């Protein structure tokens, strides 16, 4: 399986119970949803095709030694999103392409927390955040945020940086909205 980092495992340091996905589940109760004050995922803006003009020549783009600014890290995007400084769409765009750290159990797949209001998958923006939660020698694998949305079992939400200052918990319905929003943006 791709994305696995073969690090040592000494066990989970947190007080929660974890079970691999695929365990029979009950329908989730009303959940956490998007961050308070943030709306769900809106319809994507319509695609606009540039119009060619016969009387204006294309302007050459300036070139030089400066490169475009680096995209924000997922940690920065999460901090901005939870403080209300960035939109849901901007956070979503950063999440999709970012590396996500996932605790790893004995069996392949996500670990799920079942002692929460509804089952959630713990995800982390950095190895530092994962180790804060699961311990210094914990095993993990990495995937992109887009792969998380593709692989996450139906009926599960996720918690990003559970022990972090800027954590966010999205219930199963909010995750479905993220998936729907992604599909509309990709396929119209």
């Amino acid at each position: 399986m791709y994305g696995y980092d073969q690090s040592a495992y000494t066990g989970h340091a947190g007080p929660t119970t974890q079970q691999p996905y695929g365990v029979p589940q009950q329908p989730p109760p009303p959940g956490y949803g998007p961050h308070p004050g943030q709306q769900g995922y809106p319809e994507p803006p319509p695609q606009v095709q540039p119009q060619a003009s016969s009387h204006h020549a294309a302007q050459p783009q300036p070139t030089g030694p400066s490169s475009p600014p680096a995209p924000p890290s997922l940690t920065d995007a999460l901090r901005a999103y939870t403080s209300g400084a960035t939109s849901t769409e901007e956070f979503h765009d950063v999440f999709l392409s970012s590396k996500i750290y996932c605790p790893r159990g004995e069996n392949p797949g996500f670990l799920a927390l079942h002692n929460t209001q509804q089952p959630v998958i713990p995800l982390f923006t950095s190895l530092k955040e994962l180790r804060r939660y699961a311990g210094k020698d914990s095993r993990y694998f990495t995937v992109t945020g887009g792969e998380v949305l593709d692989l996450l079992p139906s009926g599960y939400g996720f918690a990003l940086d559970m022990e972090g200052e800027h954590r966010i918990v999205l219930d199963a319905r909010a995750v479905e909205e993220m998936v729907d929003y992604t599909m509309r943006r990709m396929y119209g």
Side-chain angles (χ1 to χ4, degrees):
M1 195 160 195
Y2 65 91
Y4 275 85
D5 182 346
Q6 302 299 323
S7 58
Y9 180 75
T10 60
H12 174 72
T16 56
T17 348
Q18 298 180 347
Q19 295 180 8
Y21 73 90
V23 176
Q25 59 201 10
Q26 298 175 4
Y32 301 95
H35 182 269
Q38 297 285 337
Q39 296 299 317
Y41 286 88
E43 292 294 320
Q47 299 288 331
V48 178
Q49 298 295 326
Q51 302 258 336
S53 174
S54 59
H55 54 279
H56 286 17
Q59 297 293 323
Q61 295 296 324
T63 58
S66 65
S67 59
S73 71
L74 182 56
T75 303
D76 293 338
L78 179 60
R79 185 177 299 115
Y81 181 65
T82 57
S83 68
T86 191
S87 70
T88 302
E89 298 84 10
E90 291 168 325
F91 173 75
H92 183 263
D93 290 342
V94 173
F95 178 82
L96 285 179
S97 60
S98 294
K99 180 189 275 190
I100 306 293
Y101 294 82
C102 309
R104 178 181 165 199
E106 294 301 318
N107 297 318
F110 294 105
L111 294 178
L113 304 179
H114 291 274
N115 63 345
T116 55
Q117 187 174 359
Q118 68 173 232
V120 295
I121 308 295
L123 305 174
F124 300 91
T125 59
S126 67
L127 184 55
K128 178 181 175 184
E129 288 294 333
L130 179 134
R131 296 276 162 88
R132 180 187 301 183
Y133 170 77
K136 184 180 97 171
D137 296 325
S138 58
R139 295 189 315 172
Y140 64 93
F141 64 98
T142 61
V143 291
T144 65
E147 290 169 325
V148 167
L149 294 181
D150 188 40
L151 298 171
L152 201 65
S154 179
Y156 282 76
F158 67 79
L160 195 55
D161 286 352
M162 291 183 66
E163 300 292 323
E165 181 181 339
H166 301 283
R167 77 179 193 155
I168 186 170
V169 179
L170 297 176
D171 65 5
R173 191 177 116 224
V175 171
E176 288 174 18
E177 288 176 8
M178 286 180 81
V179 171
D180 291 343
Y181 179 73
T182 303
M183 298 306 278
R184 286 191 311 265
R185 286 188 66 187
M186 289 176 64
Y187 302 110

